[in-house]
């Protein structure tokens, strides 16, 4: 095995590790086997109990949710934005 083979192998390993770290950094947090986006969708549901459960779940997810919520604020409709801002205010 030559020096260039080792360099190539190390470079490939570093790229793979970087890719895995990048992908896991943006994975949605999960609570009770449901991703954050599922809980956010329940906030818009007609059931008062489901909305309360969603609030509790998002609160339980805690600070892990904040980067995702901030990113989604720029991506979602204004009604969801209002609800998310209210939840973020309750977190602090």
């Amino acid at each position: 095995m030559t020096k260039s083979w080792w360099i190539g192998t190390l470079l490939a390993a570093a790229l793979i590790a970087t890719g895995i770290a990048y992908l896991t950094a943006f994975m949605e947090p999960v609570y009770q086997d449901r991703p954050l986006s599922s809980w956010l969708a329940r906030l818009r549901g007609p059931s008062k109990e489901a909305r309360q459960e969603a609030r509790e779940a998002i609160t339980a997810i805690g600070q892990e949710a904040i980067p995702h919520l901030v990113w989604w604020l720029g991506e979602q409709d204004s009604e969801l934005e209002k609800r998310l801002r209210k939840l973020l205010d309750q977190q602090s």
Side-chain angles (χ1 to χ4, degrees):
M1 291 183 233
T2 66
K3 184 177 179 180
S4 61
W5 182 86
W6 282 107
I7 292 172
T9 301
L10 289 174
L11 183 59
L15 286 172
I16 291 170
T18 302
I20 290 170
Y22 178 79
L23 290 175
T24 57
F26 291 104
M27 290 179 64
E28 255 183 269
V30 174
Y31 179 75
Q32 294 182 348
D33 296 326
R34 287 186 177 188
L36 177 60
S37 59
S38 173
W39 293 111
L40 294 174
R42 289 180 65 111
L43 286 176
R44 293 180 275 183
S47 166
K48 184 177 181 178
E49 292 81 19
R51 290 192 308 270
Q52 180 59 35
E53 183 183 19
R55 284 196 253 338
E56 291 170 6
I58 294 166
T59 300
I61 291 171
Q63 291 183 347
E64 276 186 73
I66 292 173
H68 300 276
L69 295 173
V70 169
W71 184 79
W72 285 328
L73 283 174
E75 300 292 318
Q76 300 294 326
D77 60 327
S78 61
E79 181 59 34
L80 182 55
E81 182 177 346
K82 290 175 191 175
R83 289 180 187 217
L84 289 175
R85 286 189 190 279
K86 185 176 179 181
L87 278 171
L88 284 172
D89 288 342
Q90 291 173 357
Q91 289 281 325
S92 52

